[in-house]
Amino acid sequence: RISGVEIQFAGDDVFTGSMPAAVKGRDLRRDPRLAVHSQSEDADESDPESWPGDVKFAGRAALVTDPAELSAFWAAYGGAEPPGGADASDLFRIEVTEVVHVHIELPHMVIESWHEGRGYRRRART
């Protein structure tokens, strides 16, 4: 399934949310694997290296249930809880297992990646 998501970075953690009864949240509770892809603007054909590239990360979504962790998360965003209170939305911490950045360094397309258990790798393709 493809779903639109909002991502929040807080310290070393990455979070996303869902309405409690939403299909996205039910899917993540059933199977926590997910991938997030960030689309970028098209490259300037006259300056391909100015393209910031595309980024993808993948991992597992863990439902946050600890009241102290929920309070700390909402406090980091101005203390404002979601409408209806903290229980009106599901909060998932994303345990990142893979990050990939594709960009241009002429004359190559460069693929930089990090995978849990394998570490960092850089490849250049023509």
Side-chain angles (χ1 to χ4, degrees):
R1 173 184 311 276
I2 296 175
S3 298
V5 297
E6 292 182 21
I7 299 295
Q8 296 288 334
F9 295 91
D12 292 337
D13 292 318
V14 184
F15 294 91
T16 191
S18 174
M19 298 300 291
V23 173
K24 175 176 55 179
R26 287 196 316 257
D27 283 348
L28 289 173
R29 287 170 184 254
R30 179 182 50 79
D31 181 352
R33 296 173 298 166
L34 61 84
V36 177
H37 178 259
S38 173
Q39 176 181 326
S40 64
E41 60 192 41
D42 290 337
D44 178 345
E45 290 183 25
S46 67
D47 183 13
E49 289 184 277
S50 69
W51 179 55
D54 282 342
V55 174
K56 174 192 88 161
F57 67 86
R60 294 173 296 276
L63 181 64
V64 178
T65 58
D66 177 59
E69 189 175 359
L70 287 166
S71 292
F73 175 84
W74 292 113
Y77 294 98
E81 292 185 350
D87 293 334
S89 119
D90 287 338
L91 180 66
F92 295 91
R93 181 184 333 91
I94 301 171
E95 298 165 350
V96 177
T97 59
E98 171 188 17
V99 179
V100 179
H101 178 215
V102 178
H103 59 281
I104 303 296
E105 291 180 16
L106 291 175
H108 300 101
M109 176 179 73
V110 176
I111 303 162
E112 294 182 277
S113 62
W114 172 86
H115 291 81
E116 183 178 61
R118 282 190 299 194
Y120 174 79
R121 182 175 176 190
R122 179 184 169 96
R123 294 166 296 198
R125 296 190 177 168
T126 54

